[in-house]
């Protein structure tokens, strides 16, 4: 028996479990990050636009930031910062306030944790003394790492936007009423001098309106149209000319994986692969039906929807029924997608990507959508490769 090695293991375990973990827990790093983000916020006091919702919050955040960053708008509101790369949880929002430009992952190693704790005060000081946004457009998520009660204390909003509310995060929130209560935290945080903007077309508008202390403006539309209408209201509130708004909207491109229309050789692909819930699935299917005109076929490649709790199977069945009138071919990916009652089924996005070419006809219109964990972007990548191969000249023998 190697008593020396066993002794070394015990010493190492003692150092890690008894000394390092209590001294530098990951929660300590997160708390320090939030502390310095709050420190920067209190000194620089940017105007905050907080955006949440079950669907469309990422697109709305990107679109509002793009419009406010237009040269004519920027002359009125000043520099604009915004949420990048879906950094919409507690850590992500704090990192955005500290001007991190890429997705921040807290370090697991103790050396990395210690280094970050030492670096954060210097970063905060540099950010405070440097050029800082006058306006922050912040996406506010809900989930295991995102708590709206905490987010609104880090950066209280001057304007709150709730796009639309539907079945999402039910694994944690349990009920739709729980989702509404969580989203209403952002609405209640806006002072009477601010404004609350609510997307219409869902059953919880009046409940959110009752929670508001600030004036409420309700806007119609779904998808990009709703995001555009929200941007127009915000710009009107901030005194930005309509000409500047129209110019910025014309140049806007949807974020990757969010209802992006891609024109490939011999097909149109609607890439909505980033994430999915029942409401966004219906929106994607509506977009497919509106985009594909006869005689072009409508193909929907739908992955499973995650985080829907015990009601998940029913939601999958409902989406499958909804898809029947909006598709010609329905393809399911993942175990739960069997409940769509698809025409073709694959156990994974990799398997679907390998077989998708055999299911395509010339000039098909294809919607690709599913939860992030379904990895539906692999299907989009394969469709792109198929199109590139179609464009390549044949090899001469």
């Amino acid at each position: 028996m190697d008593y020396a090695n066993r002794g070394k293991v015990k010493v190492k375990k003692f150092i890690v479990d008894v000394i390092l973990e209590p001294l530098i827990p990951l929660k300590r790093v997160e708390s320090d990050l939030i502390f310095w983000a709050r420190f920067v916020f209190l000194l620089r006091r940017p105007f905050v636009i907080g955006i949440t919702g079950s669907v469309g919050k990422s697109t709305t955040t990107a679109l509002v930031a793009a419009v406010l960053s237009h040269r004519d708008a920027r002359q009125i509101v000043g520099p604009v910062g915004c949420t990048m790369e879906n950094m919409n949880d507690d850590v992500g929002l704090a990192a955005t306030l500290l001007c991190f430009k890429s997705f921040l992952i807290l370090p697991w190693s103790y050396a990395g944790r210690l280094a970050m704790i030492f670096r954060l005060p210097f970063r905060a000081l540099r950010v405070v003394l440097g050029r800082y946004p006058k306006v922050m457009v912040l996406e506010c998520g809900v989930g295991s790492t995102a708590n709206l009660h905490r987010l609104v204390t880090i950066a209280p909003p001057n304007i709150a936007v709730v796009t639309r509310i539907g079945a999402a995060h039910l694994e944690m929130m349990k009920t739709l009423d729980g989702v509404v209560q969580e989203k209403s935290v952002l609405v209640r945080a806006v002072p009477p001098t601010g404004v609350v903007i609510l997307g219409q077309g869902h059953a919880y508008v009046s409940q959110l309106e009752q929670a508001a202390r600030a004036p409420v403006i309700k806007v119609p539309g779904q998808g990009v149209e709703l995001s555009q209408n929200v941007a127009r209201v915000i710009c009107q509130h901030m005194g930005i000319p309509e000409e500047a708004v129209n110019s910025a909207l014309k140049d806007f491109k949807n974020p990757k994986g969010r209802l992006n229309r891609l024109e490939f050789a011999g097909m149109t692909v609607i890439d909505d692969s980033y994430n999915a819930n029942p409401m966004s699935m219906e929106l994607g299917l509506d977009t497919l039906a509106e985009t594909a005109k006869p005689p072009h076929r409508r193909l929907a490649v739908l992955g499973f929807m995650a985080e829907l709790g015990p009601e998940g199977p029913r939601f999958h069945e409902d989406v499958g029924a909804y898809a029947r009138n909006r598709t010609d071919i329905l393809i399911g990916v993942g175990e739960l997608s069997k409940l769509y009652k698809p025409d073709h089924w694959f156990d994974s996005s990799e398997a679907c990507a390998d077989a998708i070419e055999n299911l395509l006809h010339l000039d098909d219109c294809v919607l690709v959508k599913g939860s992030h964990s379904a990895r539906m972007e692999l299907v989009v990548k394969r469709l792109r490769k198929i199109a590139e191969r179609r464009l390549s000249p044949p090899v001469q023998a």
Side-chain angles (χ1 to χ4, degrees):
M1 187 175 293
D2 193 342
Y3 292 102
N5 283 339
R6 181 181 292 183
K8 289 177 183 178
V9 169
K10 286 184 176 180
V11 169
K12 185 177 181 180
K13 184 174 174 55
F14 175 83
I15 292 172
V16 170
D17 293 346
V18 179
I19 299 176
L20 290 178
E21 186 58 36
L23 186 64
I24 324 171
L26 206 57
K27 279 291 182 185
R28 161 75 189 277
V29 184
E30 181 179 328
S31 296
D32 273 27
L33 178 76
I34 290 171
F35 171 83
W36 289 111
R38 182 70 177 149
F39 171 80
V40 169
F41 178 85
L42 290 173
L43 289 181
R44 298 306 301 256
R45 291 286 181 182
F47 185 92
V48 173
I49 302 168
I51 299 173
T52 193
S54 301
V55 294
K57 59 182 178 290
S58 296
T59 298
T60 303
T61 300
L63 190 146
V64 169
V67 172
L68 294 179
S69 299
H70 186 274
R71 60 183 182 278
D72 294 333
R74 197 167 56 244
Q75 290 176 1
I76 297 170
V77 303
V80 177
C82 71
T83 300
M84 306 290 288
E85 297 187 38
N86 207 43
M87 291 166 58
N88 62 11
D89 61 358
D90 299 358
V91 169
L93 186 137
T96 301
L97 293 176
L98 286 166
C99 297
F100 284 92
K101 298 301 182 186
S102 59
F103 199 89
L104 179 66
I105 299 175
L106 297 182
W108 281 100
S109 73
Y110 292 104
R113 297 180 194 183
L114 192 61
M116 176 166 277
I117 288 171
F118 277 112
R119 284 200 305 264
L120 283 172
F122 297 100
R123 183 177 188 92
L125 183 62
R126 187 169 72 251
V127 169
V128 164
L129 297 176
R131 187 173 180 267
Y132 197 76
K134 296 287 187 183
V135 177
M136 277 287 190
V137 185
L138 301 175
E139 180 181 340
C140 300
V142 172
S144 59
T145 60
N147 184 311
L148 274 171
H149 290 84
R150 193 177 195 185
L151 295 180
V152 299
T153 62
I154 300 171
N158 302 96
I159 295 176
V161 176
V162 183
T163 53
R164 296 172 76 195
I165 289 182
H169 304 297
L170 293 180
E171 209 166 52
M172 187 179 70
M173 298 294 171
K174 307 303 181 187
T175 65
L176 270 170
D177 188 61
V179 176
V180 176
Q181 290 301 317
E182 182 73 10
K183 301 292 188 184
S184 67
V185 170
L186 187 68
V187 171
R188 290 196 297 270
V190 179
T193 53
V195 65
V196 172
I197 303 168
L198 303 177
Q200 293 178 321
H202 63 95
Y204 307 100
V205 177
S206 60
Q207 195 171 336
L208 291 168
E209 187 175 10
Q210 290 170 12
R213 297 183 295 146
V216 174
I217 300 174
K218 291 174 279 189
V219 298
Q222 60 176 355
V224 176
E225 181 190 8
L226 175 60
S227 300
Q228 291 174 341
N229 291 338
V230 167
R232 291 186 187 281
V233 171
I234 290 173
C235 289
Q236 186 177 25
H237 180 77
M238 300 179 75
I240 296 168
E242 189 175 352
E243 298 78 20
V245 178
N246 291 336
S247 177
L249 290 177
K250 185 176 65 176
D251 297 334
F252 178 73
K253 298 289 188 296
N254 280 0
K256 184 179 179 181
R258 276 90 163 186
L259 284 176
N260 272 311
R261 179 170 170 166
L262 309 173
E263 296 294 343
F264 292 160
M267 75 183 96
T268 298
V269 176
I270 302 169
D271 177 11
D272 202 19
S273 59
Y274 185 78
N275 215 341
N277 59 47
M279 182 176 279
S280 67
M281 278 289 199
E282 291 183 1
L283 174 58
L285 289 162
D286 288 342
T287 304
L288 173 65
E290 292 164 5
T291 303
K293 304 300 180 187
H296 305 312
R297 294 192 313 165
R298 303 164 299 176
L299 271 71
V301 187
L302 304 183
F304 61 85
M305 299 178 290
E307 299 182 12
L308 292 178
E311 290 291 292
R314 178 178 66 82
F315 287 123
H316 282 79
E317 290 171 357
D318 291 346
V319 166
Y322 193 85
R324 278 293 153 203
N325 296 323
R326 289 160 180 80
T327 62
D328 298 302
I329 301 292
L330 179 57
I331 300 167
V333 177
E335 189 63 30
L336 278 170
S337 74
K338 288 179 179 178
L339 297 171
Y340 298 144
K341 296 183 179 176
D343 302 298
H344 305 276
W345 178 83
F346 300 95
D347 64 353
S348 67
S349 54
E350 292 92 338
C352 180
D354 289 341
I356 190 70
E357 188 168 9
N358 296 327
L359 303 176
L360 294 173
H361 290 179
L362 195 64
D363 293 331
D364 281 343
C365 186
V366 186
L367 167 69
V368 182
K369 186 166 181 62
S371 277
H372 191 65
S373 52
R375 302 184 67 205
M376 299 305 291
E377 72 278 2
L378 298 179
V379 177
V380 177
K381 288 179 181 178
R382 182 58 59 89
L383 292 172
R384 187 185 297 274
K385 287 182 178 179
I386 292 168
E388 289 171 352
R389 193 163 61 247
R390 286 175 175 175
L391 290 172
S392 299
V395 178
Q396 298 296 325

